[in-house]
């Protein structure tokens, strides 16, 4: 290296590594302190892996808190999860998996120098992130509406109409309109003055539009679940009695074995039986643990509570039944998404969605609103942890979006080539981690039994 | 270097073998004609690891000064048995005055602990000295991610402002550990402080990521893992802990913040939470953090001792492995902070056992340093004096740790001054003294000036004596039952407390003298040669102070602890390096190199 020259330029333009020194025998993207592109790539990749290790440890704190509280108050967790709609969770899981696929494909596209494909895959990923956030918005909105908040704010209410749907509608129209405007503006800008900023603004528009779409989809799923519940009530009583009486072995074995093949039926069966069965377990240790059947439910009805309470005294439950049931549900994550998201992705096909989603949501129906603080102080703990985990995860999604916008800017600037695509891969790795965390959150929060 | 032979002829005994170090403009110099504002920007937004290291140095020393003043106020309050000094603004009512004094006392020891831990000790050696010397020891131009390095410093400043600002204005009295449930119920600015800790944590994580990646990917050709200077092993182990432990602190303080702001109840027993879970989370970070503090200090000592003994470090591999062993074992012993916090008896026994196991790698290091000194030609330069202080103080601190690690003894010594003395011996007697050793060792390289050796040694003596007078009486206080964190005490403890306070002033004067000597040298010191101590690590193979790119020519990568080829040049008052004599074959260096002048 020509030393004097290097020193001179480094003193006046030291902040600018890429261009500021006299040694031009290497490509512009190779930072001056690296000796070779390989070294730069390895450094970046190792750095990202370390950052991911750090992220894992960060989430570990939350997972440990989850484990501690689930071990201390299993009944709170088992019952509280009825408030979560697994269809929405599964939908979000599929969305994130699709985005991860796209971003893995994007790395491939970058390696092959297919810039157009690389760009659109990133836009698609941002669309998925937007959908995810839209669904989360709906979930949070329902939680807030029903007063299902963290410990100190936990105040479940039985509400008929709070104007939530109007608000969500307004949110949808505003986001959608704004998204379309921003998207169009970006599209025009990228054809004209500034390609890079045009793409960035267009992508923001895509995020907003897909967020709005996510709100609609999620709301449709949620509403159809609730409607289905009401429809099922008539027959639910009979179901319940049956479930309560014969649940112990039936639930465990039938559900485990039928698994995938009879999915729809299994789910239905399970979900209308489930709470009653839980009722058993609860009543087994009723002395210390408060029957879960009497947990206040947002949409519960009095006679249902009566049915559930009647069901409790029957004592045919064995510990094995619970184990079997748990094993069975452990398989659910693999079985469910396939069927459910089909329904979810077509909210118009209400029939199917209503049946399945409804079946899930029926769980929330079984118990009465009546007895309130049976769980004493611990009731809100589940939602403390729920909001802490999903909230921190959502912040990571948001950070990922910003990182993708940066990548999109650089793609439009033609920064990447088969020789230099490190940042694409590193941000992709980060996105996979965020996805992975959700893969753990989904069963831990939505599929507890 | 020209010498005169016996015959009276002038000869140059080394000929071409002498390695000349090219001079260049210092990294401290700005381009001529730049305005003040440009100069400020060139510093504040630099990506040069050396400037970032110097900025860190200034920052942490400022934090140290604030923390030290707090310590002084705490010690002066303890001059008399009653709580009577810190009663600011109190009326004549003695009870009211005592209450205020006690509250203020709580705030001051909290400030002292929090500032010293989060703002001073944790970043001291890695962020200041490590930033400066880690790339140079690798012969590299910079760390792997210079912008991340700068971001880390900016986060440190931001976090420090948050922290100090909140603490100084409104007063926080939870202790530096923020234990729940008190921290969630007190009206103090816990949220501001924990936000500061969160930000500082990410500063630390970024430094850690940078160091691991730099060491892994940027070692020069010929420098294998076991030819690295031992400071790099220490910094590497530290960086691993920083990356793996700090995020747990981050999520902990995040949950604590949410607890306080929103009442999520995770740590609040009234809402079904578990306050002991907080302690587990906190110590899962904060015990490894103890090793974040001490491992780089051990690395500094491993660097200084062989240089001033002119002897290869003894047991290189053992020292290197013991750093990693300490880093890993450090993750398994957090429970020993909680022997009295209702853990299961089995967990307590296991944690006690694991705690003892940490003493093995620590002792390996101490014995290896001693063995290095054995038959070495020791020159008691200032860094060596500090290194010797380190060894004795760290040994006392380490051995008293064994008392605390044994269960039955800990029941009695828990929360007494014995603990206070123990961790000050390790943290201050260990890390701070090693930091001072490192500063004195590398000062000529960092700023290109020599300091006054005699005065610096006197300062070292004052620090050593003052430290022991301050903290040794606290061991005795602790065994006699004086609990920590009290503003008032029984009169029987007064003599030892007064002794301790006297020691504080000796210690303080020693530190101020050391600072004065160094600052004086900046302005009026002699220009430093490239290698004043004859050290063999790469950072000495460039000019003092280095240029922006560190090395004008790629240095010769030899063993970091072989001093045979370094020859003293009385003209420069420093050493120069000889290329290996290829004609000498396997013969030892002394036979072919003429006797030194």
């Amino acid at each position: 290296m020509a030393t004097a020259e290097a020193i001179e330029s480094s003193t006046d333009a030291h902040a600018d590594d890429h261009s500021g020194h006299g040694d031009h025998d290497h490509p512009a993207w190779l930072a001056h302190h690296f000796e070779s592109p390989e070294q730069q790539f390895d450094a970046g990749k190792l750095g990202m892996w370390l950052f991911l290790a750090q992220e894992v440890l960060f989430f570990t704190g939350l997972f440990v808190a989850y484990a501690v509280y689930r071990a201390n108050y299993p009944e709170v967790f088992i019952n509280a999860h009825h408030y979560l709609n697994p269809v929405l969770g599964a939908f979000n899981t599929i969305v994130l998996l699709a985005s991860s696929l796209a971003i893995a494909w994007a790395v491939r596209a970058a390696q092959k120098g297919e810039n157009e494909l690389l760009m659109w895959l990133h836009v698609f990923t941002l669309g998925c992130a937007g959908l995810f956030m839209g669904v989360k918005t709906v979930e949070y909105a329902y939680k807030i509406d029903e007063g299902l908040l963290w410990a100190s704010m936990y105040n479940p209410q039985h509400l008929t109409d709070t104007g939530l749907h109007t608000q969500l509608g307004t949110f949808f129209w505003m986001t959608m309109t704004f998204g379309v405007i921003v998207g169009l503006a970006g599209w025009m800008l990228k054809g004209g003055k500034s390609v890079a900023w045009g793409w960035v603004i267009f992508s923001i528009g895509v995020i907003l539009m897909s967020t709005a779409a996510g709100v609609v989809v999620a709301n449709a799923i949620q509403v159809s679940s609730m409607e289905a519940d009401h429809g099922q009530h008539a027959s639910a009583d009979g179901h319940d009695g049956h479930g309560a009486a014969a649940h112990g072995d039936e639930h465990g074995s039938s559900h485990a074995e039928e698994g995938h093949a009879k999915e729809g039926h299994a789910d239905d069966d399970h979900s209308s039986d489930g709470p009653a069965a839980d009722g058993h377990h609860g009543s087994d240790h009723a002395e210390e643990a408060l029957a879960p059947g009497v947990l206040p439910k947002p949409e519960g009805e009095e006679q249902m509570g009566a049915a559930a309470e009647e069901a409790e005294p029957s004592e045919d439950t064995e510990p094995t039944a619970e184990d079997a049931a748990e094993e069975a549900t452990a398989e659910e994550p693999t079985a469910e998404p396939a069927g459910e998201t089909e329904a979810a992705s077509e909210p118009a096909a209400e029939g199917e969605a209503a049946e399945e989603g409804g079946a899930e949501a029926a769980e929330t129906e079984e118990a009465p609103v009546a007895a309130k603080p049976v769980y004493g102080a611990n009731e809100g703990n589940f939602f403390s942890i729920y909001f802490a985990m999903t909230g921190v995860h959502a912040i990571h999604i948001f950070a990922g979006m910003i990182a993708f916008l940066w990548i999109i800017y650089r793609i439009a600037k033609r920064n990447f080539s088969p020789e230099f695509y490190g940042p694409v891969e590193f941000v992709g790795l980060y996105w996979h981690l965020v996805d992975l965390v959700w893969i753990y959150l989904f069963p831990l929060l939505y599929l507890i039994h | 270097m020209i010498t005169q032979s016996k015959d009276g002829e002038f000869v140059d005994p080394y000929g071409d073998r002498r390695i000349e170090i090219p001079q260049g403009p210092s990294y401290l110099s700005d381009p001529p004609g730049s305005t003040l504002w440009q100069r400020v920007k060139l510093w504040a937004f630099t990506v040069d690891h050396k400037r970032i290291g110097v900025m860190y140095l200034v920052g942490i020393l400022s934090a140290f000064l604030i923390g030290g003043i707090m310590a002084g106020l705490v010690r002066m309050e303890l001059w008399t048995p009653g709580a009577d000094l810190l009663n600011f603004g109190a009326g004549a009512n003695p009870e009211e005055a005592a209450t205020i004094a006690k509250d203020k006392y709580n705030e001051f020891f909290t400030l002292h602990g929090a500032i010293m831990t989060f703002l001073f000790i944790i970043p001291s050696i890695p962020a200041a000295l490590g930033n400066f010397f880690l790339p140079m020891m690798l012969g590299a131009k910079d760390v792997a991610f210079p912008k991340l390095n700068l971001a880390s410093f900016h986060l440190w400043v931001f976090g420090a402002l948050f922290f100090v600002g909140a603490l100084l204005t409104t007063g926080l009295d939870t202790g530096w550990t923020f234990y729940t449930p008190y921290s969630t119920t007190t009206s103090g600015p816990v949220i501001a402080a924990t936000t500061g800790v969160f930000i500082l944590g990410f500063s630390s994580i970024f430094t850690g990521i940078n160091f691991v990646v730099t060491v892994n990917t940027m070692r020069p050709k010929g420098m294998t893992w076991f030819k690295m200077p031992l400071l790099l092993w220490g910094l590497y182990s530290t960086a691993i802990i920083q990356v793996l432990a700090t995020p747990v602190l981050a999520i902990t303080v995040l949950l604590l913040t949410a607890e306080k702001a929103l009442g999520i109840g995770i740590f609040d027993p009234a809402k079904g939470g578990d306050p002991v879970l907080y302690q587990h989370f906190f110590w899962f970070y904060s015990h490894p953090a103890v090793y974040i503090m001490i491992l780089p200090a051990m690395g500094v000592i491993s660097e200084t001792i062989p240089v001033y003994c002119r002897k290869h470090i003894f047991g290189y591999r053992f020292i290197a492995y013991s750093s990693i062993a300490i880093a890993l074992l450090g993750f398994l012993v957090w429970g020993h902070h909680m022997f009295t916090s209702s853990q299961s008896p089995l967990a307590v026994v296991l944690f006690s056992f694991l705690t003892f196991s940490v003493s093995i790698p620590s002792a390996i290091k101490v014995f290896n340093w001693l063995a290095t000194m054995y038959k070495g030609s020791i020159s008691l330069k200032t860094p060596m004096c500090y290194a010797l202080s380190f060894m004795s103080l760290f040994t006392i601190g380490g051995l008293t740790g064994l008392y605390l690690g044994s269960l039955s003894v800990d029941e009695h010594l828990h929360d007494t001054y014995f603990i206070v003395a123990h961790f000050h011996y390790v943290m201050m007697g260990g890390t701070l003294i090693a930091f001072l050793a490192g500063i004195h060792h590398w000062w000529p390289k960092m700023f290109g000036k020599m300091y006054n050796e005699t005065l610096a040694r006197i300062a070292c003596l004052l620090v050593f004596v003052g430290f022991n007078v301050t903290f040794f009486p606290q061991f005795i206080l602790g065994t006699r039952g004086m609990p920590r964190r009290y503003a008032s005490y029984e009169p029987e403890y007064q003599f030892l407390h007064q002794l301790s306070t006297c020691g504080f002033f000796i210690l303080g004067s020693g530190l101020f003298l050391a600072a004065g000597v160094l600052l004086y040298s900046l302005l009026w010191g002699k220009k430093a040669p490239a290698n004043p101590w004859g050290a063999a690590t790469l950072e000495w193979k460039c000019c003092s102070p280095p240029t922006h790119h560190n090395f004008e020519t790629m240095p010769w990568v030899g063993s970091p602890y072989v001093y045979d080829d370094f020859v003293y040049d009385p003209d420069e008052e420093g050493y120069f390096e000889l290329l290996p004599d290829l004609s000498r074959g396997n013969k030892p260096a002394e036979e072919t190199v003429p006797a030194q002048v």
Side-chain angles (χ1 to χ4, degrees), chain A residues 1 3-4 6-8 10-18 21 23 32-35 39-40 42-48 50-51 53-55 57-62 64-65 68-69 72-73 150-153 377-381 384-385 388 392, chain B residues 24-25 29-31 42 45-48 141-147 198 202 205-206 208-209 212-213 216-219 221 243-245 247-248 250-251 254-255 262-267 269-274 277 281 284 547-549 551-553:
Chain A
M1 169 178 292
T3 27
I7 294 157
E8 193 182 307
S10 67
T11 36
D12 53 40
H14 199 74
D16 191 355
D17 294 326
H18 297 291
H21 60 93
D23 187 13
H32 81 285
H33 57 287
F34 289 115
E35 276 163 18
Q39 194 187 35
Q40 177 167 359
D42 289 348
K45 195 156 189 177
L46 181 62
M48 187 39 92
L50 285 170
F51 182 73
Q54 179 276 128
E55 288 284 348
L57 266 297
F58 186 75
F59 277 105
T60 300
L62 290 169
V64 168
V68 167
Y69 289 104
N72 285 352
Y73 311 110
W150 49 88
S152 69
M153 305 274 283
N378 310 333
E379 236 175 4
N381 260 334
S384 296
I385 287 177
V392 170
Chain B
S29 63
D30 293 318
L42 277 174
F45 298 101
T46 181
V47 286
D48 183 345
K141 290 189 194 122
D142 210 323
V143 289
F145 309 119
K147 286 174 193 163
F198 187 84
F202 275 93
I205 289 171
F206 288 164
I209 289 178
V212 172
V213 174
N216 258 343
T217 60
M218 297 180 74
R219 274 173 291 125
K221 283 197 183 66
V243 172
L244 295 184
V248 179
I251 193 68
L254 195 67
L255 287 175
L262 307 170
I264 59 168
I266 286 185
F267 300 131
K271 300 189 184 82
D274 185 356
L277 183 66
F281 277 175
F284 185 83
T547 62
H548 270 291
H549 283 222
F551 299 98
E552 297 308 305
T553 51

Side-chain angles (χ1 to χ4, degrees), chain A residues 83-101:
Chain A
Y83 294 106
L84 303 183
N85 187 342
V87 185
L88 290 179
F91 179 76
N92 263 350
T93 310
I94 297 290
V95 165
L96 280 190
L97 282 175
S99 73
S100 252
L101 173 68

Side-chain angles (χ1 to χ4, degrees), chain B residues 142-165:
Chain B
D142 210 323
V143 289
F145 309 119
K147 286 174 193 163
L148 191 69
N149 202 12
L150 178 65
S152 153
F153 176 68
H154 286 169
L155 281 178
W156 185 88
V157 173
F158 189 55
L161 289 177
F162 232 97
F163 206 60
V164 178

Side-chain angles (χ1 to χ4, degrees), chain B residues 482-510:
Chain B
M482 169 77 207
R484 65 193 284 205
R485 296 186 167 174
Y486 279 80
S488 55
Y489 52 86
E490 298 293 316
E492 65 197 80
Y493 299 124
Q494 188 171 16
F495 171 70
L496 288 170
H497 268 305
Q498 288 183 341
L499 196 60
S500 182
T501 305
C502 290
F504 169 82
F505 285 106
I506 302 173
L507 177 58
S509 57

